[in-house]
Amino acid sequence: MPTNEQRRKAAKRKLERQIERRAERSRRRRQRLAVISVVAVVAVLAVAAGIYFVVTGSDEPAPQAAAPSTCTYNPSEPAAKPNTPPDGNPPTTGTVDVTLETTQGAIPMTLDRASAPCAVNAVVSLASQGFYDDTPCPRLVTSAGSLQVLQCGDPTGSGSGGPGYQYAEEPPQGLPPFPGAEGQASTYARGLIAMAKSSQPGSTGSQFFLVYGDSGLPPEYSVIGRIGGGGLGVLDRIAAAGDDGSNQAGGGAPRTPVQIQRAVVAAPPAP
């Protein structure tokens, strides 16, 4: 028959085990809440891109996507500005230099056909036709540590205009995971240029976003190239002035208005 001392020791061990189990349950609950919070943030960012929609200014090549054999440009809403859809058999190698001459300074871009041939083909075609000339960049997002982009490419300035056709996304390969959201979001790094889209697949059009700070998004947005020259400095100055918070999904119109005066496609080198 156990003594009083033995009973006290047994009760103490039982209490200690109960405390340990409660602590373990509490730790697991905190982990679950942390994961849920990260996933929620990623979901909000994806919607906030509304942009539906982003690297370093290094010379590293842009992330690659699987190159399609042909591109299908499907008719959609009426074009925000007259243009002719491009040919569906674009080059899949080489780069194209395009400079956005804006009211805040020049933003040079190097577009990589191998990264997203269908998207690069469309953007070069639209730029060559003057589609982007005299158009605003209507949305700036300044969420440090999550989403930092300037959205352009809609002549209407509403965020819903396009070229009158849509086409399939070319998801980038090899983007690193976004810290704290591994498995849910990738890092669209400072200096990248990517295409905007709606929440529906196959909804890429004319809109694109310029990433001036590392941003976390699902790897669904076609990466078309990188910002060059002093372009990031121009974006940094625009971002420093902030946005007016007018967009319910996040961000808003830049407080320093940005207008693309001309999108200039560099002539190919002589053979």
Side-chain angles (χ1 to χ4, degrees):
M1 184 173 180
T3 64
N4 289 338
E5 181 64 21
Q6 289 172 329
R7 283 194 293 270
R8 282 194 296 272
K9 288 181 178 180
K12 181 180 179 182
R13 287 194 298 270
K14 182 177 179 181
L15 178 60
E16 288 172 346
R17 288 195 296 270
Q18 289 175 338
I19 293 172
E20 289 173 357
R21 285 195 294 269
R22 291 191 192 112
E24 178 64 17
R25 285 196 297 269
S26 178
R27 184 183 66 82
R28 291 178 179 175
R29 185 163 55 251
R30 288 194 301 271
Q31 286 180 333
R32 286 195 299 271
L33 289 173
V35 170
I36 290 170
S37 297
V38 169
V39 172
V41 167
V42 170
V44 168
L45 291 179
V47 172
I51 288 184
Y52 280 107
F53 358 88
V54 279
V55 253
T56 60
S58 72
D59 294 327
E60 297 176 4
Q64 301 296 293
S69 55
T70 59
C71 306
T72 302
Y73 299 103
N74 300 302
S76 58
E77 75 289 335
K81 195 173 182 179
N83 72 94
T84 301
D87 180 78
N89 295 282
T92 57
T93 59
T95 60
V96 184
D97 290 332
V98 178
T99 299
L100 302 179
E101 296 179 354
T102 83
T103 50
Q104 300 305 321
I107 303 176
M109 307 187 299
T110 297
L111 309 186
D112 185 353
R113 291 191 180 102
S115 176
C118 294
V120 170
N121 189 43
V123 169
V124 170
S125 171
L126 291 168
S128 299
Q129 296 179 67
F131 183 86
Y132 295 123
D133 295 355
D134 299 314
T135 63
C137 293
R139 187 176 181 200
L140 177 70
V141 184
T142 57
S143 300
S146 56
L147 194 62
Q148 301 180 85
V149 301
L150 176 68
Q151 182 182 354
C152 309
D154 170 15
T156 71
S158 67
S160 60
Y165 58 82
Q166 295 180 330
Y167 50 98
E169 288 68 53
E170 299 162 279
Q173 305 295 315
L175 291 179
F178 192 67
E182 290 80 359
Q184 299 293 329
S186 295
T187 299
Y188 282 71
R190 173 176 165 86
L192 280 184
I193 310 158
M195 299 302 295
K197 69 182 190 69
S198 76
S199 58
Q200 299 300 312
S203 57
T204 299
S206 61
Q207 296 188 50
F208 56 90
F209 54 102
L210 306 167
V211 186
Y212 66 89
D214 289 0
S215 298
L217 288 167
E220 301 171 357
Y221 306 93
S222 307
V223 173
I224 59 173
R226 292 181 181 272
I227 301 162
L232 283 171
V234 173
L235 292 170
D236 288 341
R237 290 195 300 274
I238 294 168
D243 63 83
D244 67 3
S246 59
N247 194 305
Q248 292 182 350
R255 292 192 182 278
T256 299
V258 187
Q259 185 89 356
I260 298 174
Q261 298 166 311
R262 293 178 63 212
V264 181
V265 180

